[in-house]
Amino acid sequence: MDFQAFFQNSLEALKKEGNYRVFADLERKCGAFPKAGYHRDGTVRDVTVWCSNDYLGMGQHPDVVAAMVASVQSHGTGAGGTRNIGGNTVHHLALEQELAQLHNKESALLFTSGYVSNWAALSTLGSKIPRAVILSDEKNHASMIEGIRHSRADKVLWKHNDWRELDRKLAAVGDRPKIVAFESVYSMDGDTAPIREIVEVCEAHGALTYIDEVHAVGMYGAHGGGLSEAMGLADRIDLIEGTLGKAFGVVGGYITGSKALTDFIRSYASGFIFTTALPPAVAAAATASVRHLKASSDERAAQKAAVAKVRARLDRAAIPHLANDSHIIPVMIGDPVKCKMVSDILLQDWGIYVQPINYPTVPKGTERLRITPGPLHSDADIDHLVAALSALMQQCAIAHKQNNAVA
């Protein structure tokens, strides 16, 4: 087989479909976010970032930066290996304690990313619990899908957010151990789960509840514990999974739950046992971020206000966007080539960086720009974004708000 020809032909097919991913070379500037330097052809110019998952700008918060710098200067950079080899550091333990308290759980366990925490936890639960069945929302994240697949446990899909169908399917499983996996905020459509109804159904069937809060931690609840905290349901959910790489502005993933549950995952999950631990400086910075957002609601309030402003101005300009109750604004394009073209023009001509979201991240025909307004976007930034989108929607002949697929 001509492997190189196969690779090249596959890449060409992606390009023809409009699904080939091109990364922008950006240089974040501490103290200037959401501005960044865009590197191209030997030049650098400022652009405004509109699609970052650093939802609250905590990646440049002075307390977070200072904590990381101080830890590096005191302890160096790396962790020295896995925690089994390199040992626990005070920073790892402090962060786990902080996260357990955030979600009102007995214990927490750190991983190197949110992807890894989902993959490791679900694969371990599904493979080690005898006769387990995992019931998964059909729109769950790729990390959850991969964890379930790797577990080789029986899987049952239920229609997105349809707790009544979940109820029926749980009943059909019978007396086998049941694990229900779902998200609180779904990152592409920005919709939220009916958490209370799902929890009540799971309790009725004796199912273990597993919620992914990666797009909600830091963002919702009085202390940033996510939608489960905001709804007063954290105590009734067995495992809450989250990330440090989005609203907390650092990197890493985690699970929280009972001592027995987290120790079980720690003892059996290959994704934890055989992976080098997060650098202590990362843990120190994340701890500072979690502590700050536990005490401060200013960032959340400003972020919510920015989302409301963007949505109102998009509505006035008749720019199609999906309605939801979250901080994520999907501006619908519906064509992969046009979506990439709009993104490119925004970057090159308007100084606006927002990546196109195409298949396989979203179904074909639902391509979109995923906009995430933050507390540091100014009114002038918002006006510039909406003016650019309005001009391009007309230029590219993209349907406006009368489309029945939008808000």
Side-chain angles (χ1 to χ4, degrees):
M1 181 179 186
D2 187 341
F3 291 105
Q4 300 308 313
F6 171 79
F7 300 148
Q8 195 60 47
N9 290 337
S10 298
L11 293 171
E12 291 302 323
L14 282 177
K15 292 176 182 178
K16 289 179 181 178
E17 295 168 358
N19 293 324
Y20 180 75
R21 301 181 186 215
V22 178
F23 299 153
D25 294 337
L26 297 183
E27 182 181 3
R28 285 165 61 102
K29 299 178 180 180
C30 189
F33 187 77
K35 306 301 180 184
Y38 172 50
H39 292 248
R40 188 182 183 191
D41 299 330
T43 63
V44 183
R45 63 187 180 93
D46 283 344
V47 297
T48 303
V49 178
W50 277 100
C51 55
S52 175
N53 284 343
D54 186 357
Y55 295 131
L56 301 177
M58 292 302 293
Q60 63 164 15
H61 191 281
D63 292 351
V64 179
V65 173
M68 181 175 283
V69 171
S71 179
V72 169
Q73 291 176 335
S74 297
H75 309 292
T77 53
T82 67
R83 286 169 73 176
N84 180 55
I85 292 172
N88 282 324
T89 72
V90 293
H91 296 304
H92 293 125
L93 296 176
L95 177 54
E96 286 175 340
Q97 183 178 29
E98 203 72 40
L99 292 167
Q101 292 173 352
L102 175 66
H103 296 292
N104 201 23
K105 297 297 183 187
E106 291 181 339
S107 182
L109 186 67
L110 288 173
F111 292 85
T112 51
S113 72
Y115 189 103
V116 174
S117 56
N118 264 334
W119 176 85
L122 282 167
S123 64
T124 301
L125 291 170
S127 63
K128 295 300 182 182
I129 298 175
R131 302 174 57 242
V133 179
I134 301 178
L135 295 96
S136 175
D137 186 289
E138 66 181 358
K139 288 193 175 182
N140 276 342
H141 188 268
S143 59
M144 302 175 80
I145 295 169
E146 286 302 315
I148 295 167
R149 179 182 296 139
H150 185 75
S151 76
R152 299 187 179 180
D154 289 339
K155 178 181 73 172
V156 175
L157 290 179
W158 45 288
K159 291 179 183 177
H160 179 53
N161 281 346
D162 189 339
W163 57 270
R164 292 180 178 85
E165 179 173 90
L166 172 63
D167 187 22
R168 294 192 294 270
K169 292 196 170 183
L170 280 167
V173 169
D175 63 356
R176 294 174 62 181
K178 297 172 280 288
I179 302 164
V180 173
F182 63 105
E183 301 181 39
S184 60
V185 177
Y186 288 83
S187 62
M188 290 300 113
D189 289 346
D191 58 332
T192 58
I195 301 175
R196 185 176 302 279
E197 290 83 355
I198 292 171
V199 168
E200 290 174 350
V201 165
C202 290
E203 289 173 342
H205 292 277
L208 184 146
T209 44
Y210 183 114
I211 189 170
D212 173 318
E213 287 258 42
V214 297
H215 291 278
V217 291
M219 302 293 294
Y220 303 95
H223 306 96
L227 284 183
S228 56
E229 182 197 20
M231 300 179 69
L233 295 170
D235 288 347
R236 297 170 64 182
I237 297 172
D238 296 297
L239 188 154
I240 298 176
E241 185 266 351
T243 184
L244 304 166
K246 294 182 171 56
F248 291 127
V250 194
V251 68
Y254 64 88
I255 61 168
T256 65
S258 68
K259 288 182 180 179
L261 189 157
T262 56
D263 198 20
F264 176 81
I265 301 296
R266 182 191 70 87
S267 299
Y268 285 102
S270 62
F272 175 82
I273 296 170
F274 300 109
T275 301
T276 297
L278 288 173
V282 169
T287 301
S289 183
V290 173
R291 286 176 178 167
H292 177 84
L293 290 176
K294 277 183 177 179
S296 172
S297 60
D298 293 346
E299 291 81 6
R300 287 187 285 274
Q303 194 274 341
K304 185 176 180 179
V307 170
K309 287 179 183 178
V310 172
R311 284 195 179 278
R313 295 182 195 184
L314 289 174
D315 285 340
R316 288 203 294 270
I319 294 172
H321 60 100
L322 289 183
N324 60 53
D325 295 325
S326 77
H327 55 284
I328 297 166
I329 303 178
V331 171
M332 306 307 292
I333 306 298
D335 178 272
V337 176
K338 286 183 178 179
C339 195
K340 178 69 167 59
M341 178 175 63
V342 168
S343 174
D344 288 346
I345 295 173
L346 285 172
L347 184 60
Q348 299 303 327
D349 296 350
W350 295 81
I352 293 170
Y353 173 66
V354 55
Q355 271 290 72
I357 306 295
N358 292 348
Y359 178 83
T361 306
V362 295
K364 292 181 179 180
T366 69
E367 293 79 11
R368 81 273 315 260
L369 303 175
R370 178 182 177 273
I371 295 172
T372 55
L376 301 175
H377 285 109
S378 67
D379 287 349
D381 291 333
I382 295 172
D383 289 341
H384 186 61
L385 171 71
V386 175
L389 287 173
S390 187
L392 289 179
M393 289 293 177
Q394 298 175 25
Q395 178 182 333
C396 300
I398 297 169
H400 270 208
K401 199 174 174 183
Q402 52 265 36
N403 280 352
N404 57 18
V406 301

